[in-house]
């Protein structure tokens, strides 16, 4: 409104309007503007005479209102009385100075008073329309959001149905890796878990079946021997004695398997709980070799201990002793008669290194990666003969892993094997 009014005030200055020579186009525009805004426009000349009143009431009268007076002195004003829905502008009508110095000279005032009622009603109507549009927009957005949520949730719904099937224990399935990126990633993560569970489940089943088989064998032997004794009459005492010796051997074997199994299960359960103390590894090896010497002597096997430097390490004494004992025991068991076992101990500032080398049967290449598995034996008959359970190396590997140690094996078939271990001197949990 102000812009239009200012525009008209400028045009009034440009014409001879103030002298009473009214331009009909400008006059029509002024009247039209007064009409549009339900207002009234006065044009006042330099002598405060009203040259135009769109209401044709005060023409040729003098106007000395405060507003007009201030505007003549260069202060245009805007009065807005929103409570009365009324607004008025007093805008100066200027012409360029006669001297041509570029200055403007005020030669009149255009007063534009308008009712803001009509504007308010327009605003009300627009508000109403905006509210309707807003409501419509909201409804449309809700419908769209509902539709989109259905689209987004669809892959999850499919996944839930598949997961319900998983809950029943059916691991022979995978989640659909389709849909949005996030679905694909979630499905891939779940599929990786399923895969791991499957591997664990298979290894558990394998383990249980191995355990059952191993435990059943000695019992079956005992049963067969006991039945054959009962089934015969007048059996000589020597046969009884012979059979009972065999039965005792089988019972010992069963006991050994159960002891080894319990040891393994306990290690799995405790998962790294070690009772560590400073242990002299050299002394520990001397004790182990002394204990095994009688078995070695029976087959004329020479046991040699080489300690390059004294080693004291922070380890669980019982467990490490068991692990090292298994290695030396195997080196004797799988050696040839009159063979040799060399145990070599060395250390640096971080680790101790132990090698157990024998002159025995050796391990076939394809078996080397399996010998640390539970119940794996290269030659079942030989292992059985020597009282092996197939758990010794699994226990050794487990103990070393608990100490953050590693074990490696080198072997030449028919010539011998060399087990090498490395264990940190200071155990860190
Ligand atoms: P076992 O109680 O049968 O000895 P282990 O777990 O100690 O079980 O060893 C697994 C298998 O690895 C053994 O059955 C044997 O075939 C092979 N093995 C282990 N140590 C040696 C060795 N020093 N020389 C040759 N074969 C070995």
């Amino acid at each position: 409104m102000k812009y239009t009014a200012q525009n008209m005030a400028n045009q009034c200055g440009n014409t001879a309007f103030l002298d009473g020579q009214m331009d009909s186009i400008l006059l029509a525009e002024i009247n039209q503007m007064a009409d549009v805004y339900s207002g009234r426009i006065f044009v006042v000349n330099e002598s405060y005479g009203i040259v135009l009143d769109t209401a044709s009431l005060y023409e040729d009268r003098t106007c000395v209102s405060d507003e007009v007076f201030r505007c003549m002195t260069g202060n245009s004003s805007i009065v807005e009385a929103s409570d009365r829905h009324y607004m008025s502008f007093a805008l100066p009508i200027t012409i360029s100075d006669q001297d041509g110095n570029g200055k403007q000279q005020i030669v009149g005032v255009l007063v534009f008073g308008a009712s803001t009622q009509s504007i308010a009603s327009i605003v009300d109507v627009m508000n109403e329309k905006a509210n309707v549009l807003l409501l419509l927009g909201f409804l449309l957005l809700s419908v769209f959001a509902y539709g989109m949520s259905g689209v987004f949730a669809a892959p999850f719904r499919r996944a839930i149905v598949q997961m319900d099937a998983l809950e029943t224990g059916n691991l022979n399935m995978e989640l659909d890796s389709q849909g949005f990126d996030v679905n694909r990633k979630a499905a891939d993560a779940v599929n990786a878990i399923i895969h791991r569970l499957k591997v664990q489940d298979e290894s558990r089943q394998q383990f249980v079946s191995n355990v059952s088989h191993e435990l059943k064998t000695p019992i079956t032997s005992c049963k067969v021997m006991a039945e054959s004794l009962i089934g015969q009459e007048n059996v000589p005492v020597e046969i009884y004695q012979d059979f009972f010796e065999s039965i005792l051997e089988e019972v010992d074997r069963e006991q050994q398997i159960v002891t080894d199994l319990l040891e393994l299960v306990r290690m799995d359960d405790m998962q790294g709980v070690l009772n560590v103390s400073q242990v002299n590894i050299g002394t520990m090896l001397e004790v182990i070799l002394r204990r095994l010497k009688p078995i070695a002597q029976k087959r004329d096997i020479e046991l040699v201990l080489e300690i390059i430097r004294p080693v004291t390490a922070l380890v669980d004494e019982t467990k490490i002793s068991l692990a090292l004992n298994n290695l030396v025991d195997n080196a004797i068991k799988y050696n040839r008669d009159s063979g040799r076992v060399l145990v070599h101990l060395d250390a640096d500032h971080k680790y101790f290194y132990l090698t157990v080398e024998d002159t025995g049967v050796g391990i076939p290449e394809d078996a080397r990666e399996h010998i640390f598995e539970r119940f794996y034996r290269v030659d079942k008959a030989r292992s059985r003969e020597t009282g092996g359970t197939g758990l010794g190396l699994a226990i050794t590997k487990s103990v070393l892993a608990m100490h953050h140690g590693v074990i490696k094996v080198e072997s030449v078939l028919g010539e011998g094997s060399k087990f090498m271990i490395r264990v940190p001197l200071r155990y860190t949990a």
Side-chain angles (χ1 to χ4, degrees), residues 117-131:
Q117 184 70 57
S118 57
I119 298 171
S121 0
I122 291 169
V123 169
D124 283 350
V125 171
M126 283 174 78
N127 270 345
E128 260 171 41
K129 284 187 178 166
N131 282 341

Side-chain angles (χ1 to χ4, degrees), residues 326-327 330-331 333-334 358 360-363 371-373 376-379 383 386-394 417 419:
N326 286 345
L327 292 181
N330 279 349
K333 270 195 311 194
Y334 301 103
D358 63 59
V361 291
I363 305 163
I371 54 174
F372 299 100
E373 290 167 13
Y376 182 87
R377 278 162 295 188
V378 178
D379 180 349
S383 171
T386 52
T389 60
L391 295 170
L393 286 181
S417 311
F419 284 83

Side-chain angles (χ1 to χ4, degrees), residues 239-255:
I239 303 272
Y240 261 106
Q241 210 150 16
D242 199 26
F243 271 41
F244 269 109
E245 266 170 26
S246 300
I247 288 174
L248 198 64
E249 268 172 29
E250 292 300 327
V251 172
D252 279 348
R253 194 174 145 66
E254 182 92 16
Q255 207 173 22

Side-chain angles (χ1 to χ4, degrees), residues 19-214:
D19 300 334
Q21 296 164 24
M22 294 189 183
D23 179 273
S24 57
I25 298 173
L26 181 58
L27 193 62
E29 275 179 22
I30 291 175
N31 279 318
Q32 193 186 10
M33 179 162 169
D35 269 0
V36 167
Y37 292 104
S38 310
R40 188 171 171 184
I41 296 174
F42 292 100
V43 178
V44 180
N45 65 16
E46 216 171 354
S47 331
Y48 295 93
I50 297 174
V51 292
L52 174 70
D53 171 9
T54 53
S56 307
L57 289 174
Y58 296 132
E59 269 164 8
D60 300 330
R61 293 203 191 171
T62 305
C63 172
V64 271
S65 75
D66 192 31
E67 200 182 356
V68 172
F69 183 72
R70 272 195 285 121
C71 195
M72 281 296 191
T73 54
N75 300 308
S76 58
S77 71
I78 300 176
V79 177
E80 191 188 353
S82 48
D83 51 336
R84 283 182 281 132
H85 299 295
Y86 173 79
M87 172 186 250
S88 89
F89 308 105
L91 301 166
I93 299 171
T94 55
I95 56 166
S96 302
D97 223 340
Q98 299 287 318
D99 308 344
N101 56 9
K103 282 192 181 167
Q104 294 288 311
Q105 186 191 344
I106 298 174
V107 291
V109 175
L110 183 138
V111 183
F112 176 33
S115 159
T116 53
Q117 184 70 57
S118 57
I119 298 171
S121 0
I122 291 169
V123 169
D124 283 350
V125 171
M126 283 174 78
N127 270 345
E128 260 171 41
K129 284 187 178 166
N131 282 341
V132 171
L133 277 175
L134 215 69
L135 196 74
L136 244 149
F138 178 73
L139 281 174
L140 276 173
L141 211 72
S142 304
V143 172
F144 178 73
Y146 182 75
M148 282 316 280
S149 69
V151 174
F152 279 122
F156 284 107
R157 270 196 230 105
R158 271 203 309 276
I160 289 169
V161 173
Q162 288 169 328
M163 280 196 230
D164 281 346
L166 268 180
E167 209 192 13
T168 60
N170 176 13
L171 292 177
N172 292 323
M173 59 169 299
E174 287 202 337
L175 295 196
D176 271 355
S177 220
Q178 290 168 357
F180 304 99
D181 196 36
V182 60
N183 299 118
R184 268 204 307 278
K185 281 184 181 154
D188 287 347
V190 173
N191 286 339
I193 295 172
I194 295 173
H195 181 71
R196 228 183 35 230
L197 284 176
K198 227 158 98 177
V199 170
Q200 275 177 4
D201 198 47
E202 276 163 16
S203 108
R204 191 175 50 86
Q205 278 176 15
Q206 180 71 40
F207 181 64
V208 170
S209 112
N210 284 347
V211 170
S212 323
H213 177 76
E214 295 299 327

